[in-house]
Amino acid sequence: MKLRYLLILLSLGLLVACGGNQSLEEPPEIRYGEDVCEECSMIVNEPRFSASYVLMDGTVRRFDGIGEMLAYDSKHGEDVHIYWVHDYNSEEWINAQDATFLLSTDVHTPMGWGMLAFAAKGDAEQFLAEYEGAMMRWDDLNTAVAAGELNPTTLSAHIHNQSETSHDEMGHEDMDH
């Protein structure tokens, strides 16, 4: 009987020490200046650019940028439950499905992906009024990276193509999620 209680206490102690698994619906914790990007192995330093996803089993992956997260995901094809990004202005976590994304060469992002997320579409439009860039939906962004069409070396061309598409075919009112 004592051995059983001892094993239970040891198991609970290990769970606490290892942190257990992440809640599937809560944004992850990132220890800025300590945690390392899963894709490039650089230290995650800036909340406004960092991103994360949570797997169905609660495992968390942390990244220094949105592009790094998408690149890692396309290479590994993990069973992702939810993608998290930070609002560029407030640095608050938002579900990637709810964000408006911008591609811009005017902002230096980790590893040169040029991807920014905004919680409010109006904030993204305000950014576009001041800087060069193109708006994208989450699914289109994810698909472009997975297909190899979008990476730091193709960013400028992709922005140009997206800008033409959004102005010529889609219009700004069709950029809603």
Side-chain angles (χ1 to χ4, degrees):
M1 192 72 142
K2 283 184 176 183
L3 181 60
R4 183 175 172 191
Y5 287 117
L6 182 61
L7 288 174
I8 290 171
L9 286 174
L10 279 172
S11 297
L12 287 173
L14 283 174
L15 277 176
V16 170
C18 295
N21 281 342
Q22 167 76 30
S23 164
L24 294 180
E25 303 304 322
E26 294 294 318
E29 179 185 327
I30 293 182
R31 296 174 315 219
Y32 298 101
E34 295 178 36
D35 284 338
V36 174
C37 177
E38 296 278 349
E39 176 66 8
C40 68
S41 299
M42 294 189 67
I43 293 176
V44 180
N45 281 317
E46 298 181 74
R48 68 174 24 170
F49 300 122
S50 66
S52 182
Y53 63 70
V54 181
L55 301 177
M56 292 301 290
D57 68 1
T59 301
V60 176
R61 303 277 186 241
R62 294 168 180 86
F63 304 91
D64 61 357
I66 299 165
E68 295 294 274
M69 175 174 68
L70 292 172
Y72 185 91
D73 185 32
S74 78
K75 288 179 198 171
H76 297 276
E78 297 182 299
D79 192 12
V80 177
H81 173 70
I82 190 168
Y83 297 88
W84 292 99
V85 294
H86 280 100
D87 176 72
Y88 180 76
N89 292 328
S90 71
E91 299 182 355
E92 296 292 323
W93 282 114
I94 49 176
N95 181 330
Q97 292 286 341
D98 299 331
T100 299
F101 292 89
L102 287 181
L103 302 178
S104 178
T105 56
D106 290 343
V107 177
H108 298 288
T109 62
M111 306 310 288
W113 283 91
M115 294 180 187
L116 313 175
F118 293 86
K121 182 181 173 192
D123 290 344
E125 290 170 338
Q126 183 177 0
F127 183 92
L128 274 178
E130 298 177 37
Y131 301 97
E132 183 180 349
M135 291 173 63
M136 287 190 78
R137 296 176 187 101
W138 170 250
D139 292 334
D140 296 334
L141 189 63
N142 201 348
T143 299
V145 172
E149 299 167 3
L150 178 58
N151 61 57
T153 62
T154 63
L155 181 61
S156 291
H158 204 82
I159 289 171
H160 179 72
N161 291 340
Q162 281 298 121
S163 294
E164 284 182 356
T165 301
S166 65
H167 291 302
D168 297 342
E169 298 172 12
M170 294 167 55
H172 286 291
E173 50 280 347
D174 290 336
M175 293 303 292
D176 289 326
H177 313 302

PDB file of all heavy atoms in Angstrom, residues 105-133:
ATOM      1  N   THR A 105       7.673  44.005 -46.487  1.00  0.00           N
ATOM      2  CA  THR A 105       9.137  44.062 -46.462  1.00  0.00           C
ATOM      3  C   THR A 105       9.611  45.274 -45.666  1.00  0.00           C
ATOM      4  O   THR A 105      10.803  45.437 -45.443  1.00  0.00           O
ATOM      5  CB  THR A 105       9.715  44.134 -47.891  1.00  0.00           C
ATOM      6  OG1 THR A 105       9.141  45.263 -48.559  1.00  0.00           O
ATOM      7  CG2 THR A 105       9.424  42.857 -48.670  1.00  0.00           C
ATOM      8  N   ASP A 106       8.683  46.120 -45.237  1.00  0.00           N
ATOM      9  CA  ASP A 106       9.032  47.330 -44.486  1.00  0.00           C
ATOM     10  C   ASP A 106       9.299  47.070 -43.002  1.00  0.00           C
ATOM     11  O   ASP A 106       9.799  47.947 -42.301  1.00  0.00           O
ATOM     12  CB  ASP A 106       7.920  48.376 -44.613  1.00  0.00           C
ATOM     13  CG  ASP A 106       7.837  48.963 -46.013  1.00  0.00           C
ATOM     14  OD1 ASP A 106       8.812  48.824 -46.777  1.00  0.00           O
ATOM     15  OD2 ASP A 106       6.792  49.553 -46.346  1.00  0.00           O
ATOM     16  N   VAL A 107       8.956  45.894 -42.523  1.00  0.00           N
ATOM     17  CA  VAL A 107       9.171  45.552 -41.121  1.00  0.00           C
ATOM     18  C   VAL A 107      10.144  44.375 -41.073  1.00  0.00           C
ATOM     19  O   VAL A 107       9.963  43.371 -41.755  1.00  0.00           O
ATOM     20  CB  VAL A 107       7.846  45.154 -40.427  1.00  0.00           C
ATOM     21  CG1 VAL A 107       8.097  44.733 -38.993  1.00  0.00           C
ATOM     22  CG2 VAL A 107       6.856  46.298 -40.481  1.00  0.00           C
ATOM     23  N   HIS A 108      11.171  44.515 -40.262  1.00  0.00           N
ATOM     24  CA  HIS A 108      12.158  43.447 -40.120  1.00  0.00           C
ATOM     25  C   HIS A 108      11.651  42.435 -39.100  1.00  0.00           C
ATOM     26  O   HIS A 108      11.600  42.713 -37.905  1.00  0.00           O
ATOM     27  CB  HIS A 108      13.513  44.013 -39.694  1.00  0.00           C
ATOM     28  CG  HIS A 108      14.079  44.951 -40.712  1.00  0.00           C
ATOM     29  ND1 HIS A 108      14.588  44.515 -41.914  1.00  0.00           N
ATOM     30  CD2 HIS A 108      14.188  46.294 -40.726  1.00  0.00           C
ATOM     31  CE1 HIS A 108      14.995  45.556 -42.622  1.00  0.00           C
ATOM     32  NE2 HIS A 108      14.755  46.650 -41.918  1.00  0.00           N
ATOM     33  N   THR A 109      11.272  41.285 -39.597  1.00  0.00           N
ATOM     34  CA  THR A 109      10.759  40.213 -38.748  1.00  0.00           C
ATOM     35  C   THR A 109      11.819  39.120 -38.616  1.00  0.00           C
ATOM     36  O   THR A 109      12.739  39.047 -39.426  1.00  0.00           O
ATOM     37  CB  THR A 109       9.474  39.613 -39.349  1.00  0.00           C
ATOM     38  OG1 THR A 109       9.794  39.039 -40.621  1.00  0.00           O
ATOM     39  CG2 THR A 109       8.385  40.662 -39.505  1.00  0.00           C
ATOM     40  N   PRO A 110      11.681  38.259 -37.603  1.00  0.00           N
ATOM     41  CA  PRO A 110      12.648  37.171 -37.466  1.00  0.00           C
ATOM     42  C   PRO A 110      12.737  36.335 -38.744  1.00  0.00           C
ATOM     43  O   PRO A 110      11.719  35.985 -39.347  1.00  0.00           O
ATOM     44  CB  PRO A 110      12.084  36.340 -36.307  1.00  0.00           C
ATOM     45  CG  PRO A 110      11.326  37.345 -35.494  1.00  0.00           C
ATOM     46  CD  PRO A 110      10.720  38.273 -36.510  1.00  0.00           C
ATOM     47  N   MET A 111      13.924  36.085 -39.161  1.00  0.00           N
ATOM     48  CA  MET A 111      14.248  35.267 -40.318  1.00  0.00           C
ATOM     49  C   MET A 111      13.713  35.816 -41.640  1.00  0.00           C
ATOM     50  O   MET A 111      13.697  35.134 -42.649  1.00  0.00           O
ATOM     51  CB  MET A 111      13.782  33.816 -40.108  1.00  0.00           C
ATOM     52  CG  MET A 111      14.306  33.189 -38.819  1.00  0.00           C
ATOM     53  SD  MET A 111      16.101  33.348 -38.562  1.00  0.00           S
ATOM     54  CE  MET A 111      16.711  32.213 -39.764  1.00  0.00           C
ATOM     55  N   GLY A 112      13.239  37.058 -41.645  1.00  0.00           N
ATOM     56  CA  GLY A 112      12.877  37.750 -42.879  1.00  0.00           C
ATOM     57  C   GLY A 112      11.572  37.355 -43.535  1.00  0.00           C
ATOM     58  O   GLY A 112      11.357  37.648 -44.714  1.00  0.00           O
ATOM     59  N   TRP A 113      10.661  36.744 -42.794  1.00  0.00           N
ATOM     60  CA  TRP A 113       9.392  36.316 -43.381  1.00  0.00           C
ATOM     61  C   TRP A 113       8.443  37.479 -43.664  1.00  0.00           C
ATOM     62  O   TRP A 113       7.568  37.365 -44.513  1.00  0.00           O
ATOM     63  CB  TRP A 113       8.704  35.293 -42.484  1.00  0.00           C
ATOM     64  CG  TRP A 113       9.298  33.934 -42.580  1.00  0.00           C
ATOM     65  CD1 TRP A 113      10.312  33.420 -41.816  1.00  0.00           C
ATOM     66  CD2 TRP A 113       8.927  32.899 -43.485  1.00  0.00           C
ATOM     67  NE1 TRP A 113      10.586  32.138 -42.197  1.00  0.00           N
ATOM     68  CE2 TRP A 113       9.750  31.781 -43.224  1.00  0.00           C
ATOM     69  CE3 TRP A 113       7.980  32.807 -44.494  1.00  0.00           C
ATOM     70  CZ2 TRP A 113       9.650  30.590 -43.928  1.00  0.00           C
ATOM     71  CZ3 TRP A 113       7.874  31.608 -45.195  1.00  0.00           C
ATOM     72  CH2 TRP A 113       8.706  30.529 -44.922  1.00  0.00           C
ATOM     73  N   GLY A 114       8.543  38.572 -42.927  1.00  0.00           N
ATOM     74  CA  GLY A 114       7.695  39.734 -43.170  1.00  0.00           C
ATOM     75  C   GLY A 114       6.225  39.527 -42.884  1.00  0.00           C
ATOM     76  O   GLY A 114       5.378  40.203 -43.461  1.00  0.00           O
ATOM     77  N   MET A 115       5.903  38.624 -41.977  1.00  0.00           N
ATOM     78  CA  MET A 115       4.502  38.327 -41.657  1.00  0.00           C
ATOM     79  C   MET A 115       4.100  38.970 -40.346  1.00  0.00           C
ATOM     80  O   MET A 115       4.761  38.786 -39.334  1.00  0.00           O
ATOM     81  CB  MET A 115       4.290  36.817 -41.567  1.00  0.00           C
ATOM     82  CG  MET A 115       4.466  36.103 -42.862  1.00  0.00           C
ATOM     83  SD  MET A 115       4.199  34.331 -42.646  1.00  0.00           S
ATOM     84  CE  MET A 115       4.683  33.767 -44.266  1.00  0.00           C
ATOM     85  N   LEU A 116       2.987  39.699 -40.398  1.00  0.00           N
ATOM     86  CA  LEU A 116       2.439  40.375 -39.227  1.00  0.00           C
ATOM     87  C   LEU A 116       0.992  39.932 -39.055  1.00  0.00           C
ATOM     88  O   LEU A 116       0.291  39.704 -40.038  1.00  0.00           O
ATOM     89  CB  LEU A 116       2.470  41.890 -39.412  1.00  0.00           C
ATOM     90  CG  LEU A 116       3.760  42.510 -39.931  1.00  0.00           C
ATOM     91  CD1 LEU A 116       3.559  43.993 -40.171  1.00  0.00           C
ATOM     92  CD2 LEU A 116       4.891  42.267 -38.958  1.00  0.00           C
ATOM     93  N   ALA A 117       0.536  39.866 -37.817  1.00  0.00           N
ATOM     94  CA  ALA A 117      -0.855  39.510 -37.532  1.00  0.00           C
ATOM     95  C   ALA A 117      -1.531  40.665 -36.812  1.00  0.00           C
ATOM     96  O   ALA A 117      -0.918  41.340 -35.982  1.00  0.00           O
ATOM     97  CB  ALA A 117      -0.913  38.247 -36.670  1.00  0.00           C
ATOM     98  N   PHE A 118      -2.784  40.879 -37.130  1.00  0.00           N
ATOM     99  CA  PHE A 118      -3.578  41.925 -36.496  1.00  0.00           C
ATOM    100  C   PHE A 118      -4.912  41.332 -36.046  1.00  0.00           C
ATOM    101  O   PHE A 118      -5.548  40.595 -36.796  1.00  0.00           O
ATOM    102  CB  PHE A 118      -3.842  43.082 -37.467  1.00  0.00           C
ATOM    103  CG  PHE A 118      -2.612  43.853 -37.830  1.00  0.00           C
ATOM    104  CD1 PHE A 118      -1.791  43.434 -38.868  1.00  0.00           C
ATOM    105  CD2 PHE A 118      -2.249  44.985 -37.121  1.00  0.00           C
ATOM    106  CE1 PHE A 118      -0.645  44.138 -39.209  1.00  0.00           C
ATOM    107  CE2 PHE A 118      -1.099  45.694 -37.444  1.00  0.00           C
ATOM    108  CZ  PHE A 118      -0.300  45.265 -38.488  1.00  0.00           C
ATOM    109  N   ALA A 119      -5.332  41.676 -34.842  1.00  0.00           N
ATOM    110  CA  ALA A 119      -6.622  41.211 -34.336  1.00  0.00           C
ATOM    111  C   ALA A 119      -7.767  41.911 -35.059  1.00  0.00           C
ATOM    112  O   ALA A 119      -8.805  41.313 -35.307  1.00  0.00           O
ATOM    113  CB  ALA A 119      -6.721  41.442 -32.830  1.00  0.00           C
ATOM    114  N   ALA A 120      -7.558  43.173 -35.400  1.00  0.00           N
ATOM    115  CA  ALA A 120      -8.604  43.965 -36.063  1.00  0.00           C
ATOM    116  C   ALA A 120      -8.203  44.273 -37.502  1.00  0.00           C
ATOM    117  O   ALA A 120      -7.093  44.743 -37.762  1.00  0.00           O
ATOM    118  CB  ALA A 120      -8.830  45.265 -35.299  1.00  0.00           C
ATOM    119  N   LYS A 121      -9.105  44.012 -38.413  1.00  0.00           N
ATOM    120  CA  LYS A 121      -8.854  44.276 -39.828  1.00  0.00           C
ATOM    121  C   LYS A 121      -8.527  45.750 -40.059  1.00  0.00           C
ATOM    122  O   LYS A 121      -7.673  46.097 -40.870  1.00  0.00           O
ATOM    123  CB  LYS A 121     -10.059  43.856 -40.657  1.00  0.00           C
ATOM    124  CG  LYS A 121      -9.870  44.043 -42.135  1.00  0.00           C
ATOM    125  CD  LYS A 121     -11.107  43.622 -42.889  1.00  0.00           C
ATOM    126  CE  LYS A 121     -10.974  43.976 -44.355  1.00  0.00           C
ATOM    127  NZ  LYS A 121     -12.249  43.851 -45.038  1.00  0.00           N
ATOM    128  N   GLY A 122      -9.187  46.634 -39.312  1.00  0.00           N
ATOM    129  CA  GLY A 122      -8.939  48.067 -39.447  1.00  0.00           C
ATOM    130  C   GLY A 122      -7.503  48.444 -39.122  1.00  0.00           C
ATOM    131  O   GLY A 122      -6.916  49.329 -39.756  1.00  0.00           O
ATOM    132  N   ASP A 123      -6.914  47.769 -38.143  1.00  0.00           N
ATOM    133  CA  ASP A 123      -5.506  48.019 -37.807  1.00  0.00           C
ATOM    134  C   ASP A 123      -4.590  47.585 -38.950  1.00  0.00           C
ATOM    135  O   ASP A 123      -3.599  48.248 -39.245  1.00  0.00           O
ATOM    136  CB  ASP A 123      -5.116  47.280 -36.524  1.00  0.00           C
ATOM    137  CG  ASP A 123      -5.763  47.871 -35.287  1.00  0.00           C
ATOM    138  OD1 ASP A 123      -6.269  49.024 -35.354  1.00  0.00           O
ATOM    139  OD2 ASP A 123      -5.759  47.185 -34.242  1.00  0.00           O
ATOM    140  N   ALA A 124      -4.930  46.474 -39.588  1.00  0.00           N
ATOM    141  CA  ALA A 124      -4.149  46.004 -40.725  1.00  0.00           C
ATOM    142  C   ALA A 124      -4.261  46.998 -41.885  1.00  0.00           C
ATOM    143  O   ALA A 124      -3.269  47.324 -42.546  1.00  0.00           O
ATOM    144  CB  ALA A 124      -4.623  44.623 -41.166  1.00  0.00           C
ATOM    145  N   GLU A 125      -5.463  47.498 -42.109  1.00  0.00           N
ATOM    146  CA  GLU A 125      -5.662  48.476 -43.188  1.00  0.00           C
ATOM    147  C   GLU A 125      -4.907  49.776 -42.888  1.00  0.00           C
ATOM    148  O   GLU A 125      -4.334  50.381 -43.797  1.00  0.00           O
ATOM    149  CB  GLU A 125      -7.160  48.734 -43.388  1.00  0.00           C
ATOM    150  CG  GLU A 125      -7.865  47.545 -43.980  1.00  0.00           C
ATOM    151  CD  GLU A 125      -9.377  47.672 -43.971  1.00  0.00           C
ATOM    152  OE1 GLU A 125      -9.942  48.451 -43.162  1.00  0.00           O
ATOM    153  OE2 GLU A 125     -10.005  46.975 -44.775  1.00  0.00           O
ATOM    154  N   GLN A 126      -4.894  50.184 -41.638  1.00  0.00           N
ATOM    155  CA  GLN A 126      -4.151  51.385 -41.246  1.00  0.00           C
ATOM    156  C   GLN A 126      -2.655  51.185 -41.494  1.00  0.00           C
ATOM    157  O   GLN A 126      -1.969  52.079 -41.979  1.00  0.00           O
ATOM    158  CB  GLN A 126      -4.409  51.711 -39.784  1.00  0.00           C
ATOM    159  CG  GLN A 126      -3.743  52.985 -39.329  1.00  0.00           C
ATOM    160  CD  GLN A 126      -4.087  53.316 -37.874  1.00  0.00           C
ATOM    161  OE1 GLN A 126      -4.815  52.599 -37.210  1.00  0.00           O
ATOM    162  NE2 GLN A 126      -3.542  54.414 -37.405  1.00  0.00           N
ATOM    163  N   PHE A 127      -2.137  50.008 -41.181  1.00  0.00           N
ATOM    164  CA  PHE A 127      -0.729  49.702 -41.446  1.00  0.00           C
ATOM    165  C   PHE A 127      -0.451  49.799 -42.948  1.00  0.00           C
ATOM    166  O   PHE A 127       0.552  50.385 -43.367  1.00  0.00           O
ATOM    167  CB  PHE A 127      -0.389  48.299 -40.931  1.00  0.00           C
ATOM    168  CG  PHE A 127       1.062  47.935 -41.090  1.00  0.00           C
ATOM    169  CD1 PHE A 127       1.959  48.170 -40.073  1.00  0.00           C
ATOM    170  CD2 PHE A 127       1.529  47.358 -42.266  1.00  0.00           C
ATOM    171  CE1 PHE A 127       3.301  47.844 -40.212  1.00  0.00           C
ATOM    172  CE2 PHE A 127       2.862  47.029 -42.415  1.00  0.00           C
ATOM    173  CZ  PHE A 127       3.742  47.276 -41.389  1.00  0.00           C
ATOM    174  N   LEU A 128      -1.358  49.248 -43.761  1.00  0.00           N
ATOM    175  CA  LEU A 128      -1.177  49.279 -45.217  1.00  0.00           C
ATOM    176  C   LEU A 128      -1.218  50.701 -45.780  1.00  0.00           C
ATOM    177  O   LEU A 128      -0.642  50.972 -46.831  1.00  0.00           O
ATOM    178  CB  LEU A 128      -2.247  48.442 -45.915  1.00  0.00           C
ATOM    179  CG  LEU A 128      -1.937  46.969 -46.064  1.00  0.00           C
ATOM    180  CD1 LEU A 128      -3.092  46.237 -46.727  1.00  0.00           C
ATOM    181  CD2 LEU A 128      -0.658  46.751 -46.836  1.00  0.00           C
ATOM    182  N   ALA A 129      -1.898  51.605 -45.102  1.00  0.00           N
ATOM    183  CA  ALA A 129      -1.946  52.993 -45.559  1.00  0.00           C
ATOM    184  C   ALA A 129      -0.587  53.673 -45.377  1.00  0.00           C
ATOM    185  O   ALA A 129      -0.271  54.633 -46.075  1.00  0.00           O
ATOM    186  CB  ALA A 129      -3.023  53.764 -44.794  1.00  0.00           C
ATOM    187  N   GLU A 130       0.228  53.149 -44.457  1.00  0.00           N
ATOM    188  CA  GLU A 130       1.518  53.759 -44.163  1.00  0.00           C
ATOM    189  C   GLU A 130       2.712  53.013 -44.751  1.00  0.00           C
ATOM    190  O   GLU A 130       3.766  53.595 -44.980  1.00  0.00           O
ATOM    191  CB  GLU A 130       1.707  53.860 -42.641  1.00  0.00           C
ATOM    192  CG  GLU A 130       0.674  54.744 -41.971  1.00  0.00           C
ATOM    193  CD  GLU A 130       0.845  54.760 -40.463  1.00  0.00           C
ATOM    194  OE1 GLU A 130       1.987  54.730 -39.991  1.00  0.00           O
ATOM    195  OE2 GLU A 130      -0.190  54.803 -39.767  1.00  0.00           O
ATOM    196  N   TYR A 131       2.568  51.710 -44.951  1.00  0.00           N
ATOM    197  CA  TYR A 131       3.681  50.877 -45.405  1.00  0.00           C
ATOM    198  C   TYR A 131       3.250  50.007 -46.572  1.00  0.00           C
ATOM    199  O   TYR A 131       2.075  49.686 -46.714  1.00  0.00           O
ATOM    200  CB  TYR A 131       4.174  49.959 -44.270  1.00  0.00           C
ATOM    201  CG  TYR A 131       4.634  50.699 -43.059  1.00  0.00           C
ATOM    202  CD1 TYR A 131       3.787  50.885 -41.973  1.00  0.00           C
ATOM    203  CD2 TYR A 131       5.913  51.229 -42.985  1.00  0.00           C
ATOM    204  CE1 TYR A 131       4.207  51.568 -40.842  1.00  0.00           C
ATOM    205  CE2 TYR A 131       6.349  51.920 -41.862  1.00  0.00           C
ATOM    206  CZ  TYR A 131       5.481  52.079 -40.795  1.00  0.00           C
ATOM    207  OH  TYR A 131       5.893  52.751 -39.683  1.00  0.00           O
ATOM    208  N   GLU A 132       4.233  49.583 -47.354  1.00  0.00           N
ATOM    209  CA  GLU A 132       3.947  48.662 -48.451  1.00  0.00           C
ATOM    210  C   GLU A 132       3.662  47.281 -47.884  1.00  0.00           C
ATOM    211  O   GLU A 132       4.297  46.844 -46.926  1.00  0.00           O
ATOM    212  CB  GLU A 132       5.137  48.586 -49.405  1.00  0.00           C
ATOM    213  CG  GLU A 132       4.867  47.699 -50.596  1.00  0.00           C
ATOM    214  CD  GLU A 132       6.039  47.607 -51.551  1.00  0.00           C
ATOM    215  OE1 GLU A 132       7.000  48.383 -51.414  1.00  0.00           O
ATOM    216  OE2 GLU A 132       5.986  46.732 -52.418  1.00  0.00           O
ATOM    217  N   GLY A 133       2.707  46.587 -48.475  1.00  0.00           N
ATOM    218  CA  GLY A 133       2.397  45.247 -48.024  1.00  0.00           C
ATOM    219  C   GLY A 133       1.156  44.711 -48.692  1.00  0.00           C
ATOM    220  O   GLY A 133       0.569  45.357 -49.566  1.00  0.00           O
TER     221      GLY A 133
END
